[in-house]
Amino acid sequence: MALEITQYLLAAQSPDAKIRTEAESSLGQFRDQNLPGFLLSLSVELSNDGKPTESRRLAGIVLKNSLDAKEIARKENLIQQWVSIDISIKSQIKSFILNTLGSSVSDACHTAAQVIAKIASIEIPRKEWPELIGLLLGNMTQPDIPASLKQATLETLGYVCEEISHHDLVQDEVNAILTAVVQGMNVTEQNPEVRLAATRALYNALDFAQTNFENEMERSYIMKVICDAALAKETEIRQAAFECLVSIVSTYYEVLEPYMQRIFELTSNAVKGDEEAVALQAVEFWSSICDEEMELQDYEVPENGDSSAPHSHFTEKALPTLVPMLLETLLKQDEDQDQDDGTWNLAMAGGTCLCLVARTVGDAVVPLVMPFVEANISNTDWRAREAATYAFGSILEGPSTEKLSPMVNAGLDFLLNAMKDANGHVKDTTAWTLSRIFELLHSPATGFSVITVANLQRILGTLLDSIKDAPHVAEKVCGAIYYIAQGYEDAGTSSSLLTPFLRDIITNLITTADRTDSSDSKLRSSAYETLNEVVRCSNLAETSQMIVELLPVIMSKLEQTSNLQIVSSDDREKQGDLQASLCGVLQVIIQKLSSADETKHIVLQAADQIMVLFLNVFACRSSTVHEEAMLAIGALAYATGPEFGKYMQEFYKYLEMGLQNFEEYQVCAISVGVVGDISRALDDKVLPYCDGIMTLLLKDLSSGELHRSVKPPIFSCFGDIALAIGEHFEKYIGYALPMMQSASEVCAQMDDNDEEMVDYGNQLRRSIFEAYSGILQGFKNSKADLMLPHAPHLLQFIELVANDQHRDESVTKAAVAVLGDLADALGSNIKTMFKDRTFFTELLGECLQSDDEQLKETATWTQGMIGRAFSVCG
């Protein structure tokens, strides 16, 4: 039964901490001792118009949080708690909440709408509460229904549609919801709050309207109502209507053709003269059209093949009027837009859309943009100069190199001069544009670059001058240097062009990272990321001395971070960010120097000191550092090989912590990767730690809390461990193999229509094959027979994968490799297993026809292994 809890709810909001804590404790006790009574009391409080607004608001929030949570395990727990409550109490709670929709207090109605949706999200998929939609629609058909109830009901319908899947409702219910919502949106609806609630509800219901959108009459009526709402007097209704149009693009692109003329007029007028919130959605409509058309272009079947989805070329058709409209938006900058990362305004939205237009239509965009650039680039008004530069930078991806190179070559010198512009916005956008030029049009390895022997010194001179500019400009300059360095990677003799400037670049990047005039650590992170790229892409034969000199500098900086004064959580975060960046630089230096015999000894000499630094970093316990330090330790293990064993005792506790870190699953995934690195480095010297490591890995696999993306790397890791310890892996077979087999069965049941699941399935299958390969190779010389009982299951899994058209190349490669490992390890024993199976000849035949040399090579080796196994017993 319900209890009087008003006083506790009010006291829980008291400014007096003691009163607040006592009230929270009393409410917590009530919840723990009698959850059904607690939820019922909250619903009574929320529904009672005689109660104070403050206690009702908190009752609603606590009720909502008792039904849902962001964290998956907690959410499951809350769902189970609700499901197990007696049905009569649940009915009372639902009745009180539904009655609240008629409250005169809008705050209570709003909260009730959310609570109803949360209950619906649990019950409707379970085929419980089938009467809900009917009850809500009944509100809408009452004679003389108060506007506030209409509004609350529409809001509830919207929230319910957001929470459940369109598979959960029958078509009659969908039709009735859409009828109610569209009526509420109609121009005849006098109450703007009702019309707004209806428009927002339609946004959430659009996924349910597939059948309705297939019917031309219904579709046209829905589109008319949305377009009318886009002209409403109230800004919020217009904004919500455009949000509906944006959503329709991605769901119903193929039926938009008849409505595009009207939509173009609406978007054009909104961009030119409406409030910014509405104009932003109008631009977003065209960005979504571009996204859709780029995707269609990616999937178009060439050479007379029919593409299943129609490509209407809306962007191309609208180009002559769309581009000028977007160029106009570029002149609507905010004075302080460069200072704040969170800024999103019409100029930025227009520039982003122009980038997408360029990628969608390619060369056709250039003649429409360049006159604007030429007319404004030297204008005395900074807004015009900045807009022209932004427009130029926005069309560098999409058009062909042939189309772009003449204008980029002609404009490069101008842009370099513009880095000395008197206006900070112009310099910021110029640096961004240069960075785009070097990212997209500087690729010596493929034979094209705007950078030449003649202009390289001028380019770098300008950038190293400008890196001293305001932090927001310096950050974009770091990006430009990053892409210059990246372009010279694998560029043969061309990479030597950068060598004479490297010392200067490295010095400037370290000075930039040390700057104290930046309010956040973004500039420092950019400087260190750029330094990493410069080191990674440099020509080691020419730059080894510089990198060797850089190593102690970075080590010293990392050592100093332990002495930073930590007073607040902000200080701790800054220390963590700095340590993460420095660990990242050390990782790249270790990898670079250990990649050549001539410099590997440098890493080996410094390894003890480096490891001490990493262990000190772990002692500071910040998750971001944990990630970067783990990655760097993986690189050190790879570089030092068996020598890494001497660090294991000290390092193991941190590895253990990483493997148990379910919350920050990226840390867990990286820790799993490091186990692989260490196994490869130490071989059988990793054995003393294997019991602990395997226990944790098996626990990770069994956990429902751990993010699924960590599970494939764990299977691959089994293979690494088995390969390292050989026959000693026998003791783990009874635990690891059943896990691998049940995971392979999960793969067989995955939904082929879900792109994300297909990708995940491919990762999982590849990693299971890698695990089998490692185990088979590890047992080959002495314990191969242990795998005989598991071989039929493995063969069946390979066959299943071979017959699946969704497998990607890496899965095919892993399947073919494990087939060879099976034949290699089990020899003549495989003949009986292979007897009635023909799939492997087809699979190998397919691979031998492949253009991928590595795949061909693996298939040839596997064919040889199978042939050898057969001939032994022949």
Side-chain angles (χ1 to χ4, degrees), residues 2-30:
L3 292 176
E4 178 65 45
I5 55 171
T6 310
Q7 69 208 56
Y8 297 111
L9 290 165
L10 291 172
Q13 301 172 73
S14 165
D16 184 322
K18 186 170 181 294
I19 296 172
R20 202 167 59 242
T21 309
E22 281 174 12
E24 285 169 355
S25 169
S26 300
L27 288 168
Q29 276 178 338
F30 183 14

Side-chain angles (χ1 to χ4, degrees), residues 378-392:
S378 300
N379 198 305
T380 52
D381 180 356
W382 74 264
R383 288 182 183 280
R385 296 198 303 281
E386 194 274 341
T389 312
Y390 193 10
F392 188 68

Side-chain angles (χ1 to χ4, degrees), residues 119-137:
I119 297 172
S121 73
I122 299 171
E123 296 204 342
I124 288 182
R126 295 165 180 268
K127 304 288 180 255
E128 295 164 7
W129 212 6
E131 69 277 18
L132 171 65
I133 301 298
L135 288 168
L136 291 170
L137 293 169

Side-chain angles (χ1 to χ4, degrees), residues 354-376:
L354 188 57
C355 285
L356 294 169
V357 168
R359 287 170 56 198
T360 307
V361 303
D363 287 359
V365 80
V366 176
L368 294 167
V369 171
M370 285 314 289
F372 176 85
V373 174
E374 286 154 8
N376 290 286

Side-chain angles (χ1 to χ4, degrees), residues 229-250:
L231 293 168
K233 264 204 329 278
E234 296 76 13
T235 304
E236 282 186 292
I237 296 175
R238 295 198 301 277
Q239 182 183 344
F242 276 112
E243 283 169 5
C244 288
L245 289 174
V246 171
S247 176
I248 284 168
V249 172
S250 56

Side-chain angles (χ1 to χ4, degrees), residues 305-339:
D306 290 333
S307 175
S308 56
H311 188 331
S312 300
H313 301 281
F314 294 135
T315 312
E316 204 178 306
K317 290 172 188 168
L319 217 50
T321 33
L322 176 61
V323 171
M325 174 182 96
L326 293 174
L327 292 171
E328 277 304 303
T329 66
L330 303 187
L331 293 158
K332 298 182 179 177
Q333 309 96 325
D334 287 344
E335 285 285 354
D336 57 353
Q337 64 184 30
D338 299 328
Q339 317 302 324

Side-chain angles (χ1 to χ4, degrees), residues 802-853:
N803 294 331
D804 176 17
Q805 75 255 34
H806 291 291
R807 64 181 149 88
D808 66 22
E809 197 131 293
S810 67
V811 174
T812 308
K813 214 171 279 184
V816 171
V818 79
L819 196 58
D821 287 324
L822 189 66
D824 185 22
L826 299 186
S828 58
N829 291 308
I830 65 162
K831 189 166 188 185
T832 47
M833 290 178 223
F834 277 51
K835 197 170 58 174
D836 299 319
R837 297 177 189 270
T838 55
F839 79 89
F840 66 91
T841 34
E842 286 166 34
L843 178 64
L844 292 172
E846 175 200 318
C847 297
L848 292 167
Q849 299 299 309
S850 166
D851 296 335
D852 183 326
E853 284 306 316

Side-chain angles (χ1 to χ4, degrees), residues 730-742:
E730 179 181 355
K731 56 154 72 165
Y732 309 121
I733 280 285
Y735 307 100
L737 265 291
M739 289 277 196
M740 288 154 61
Q741 286 169 4
S742 65

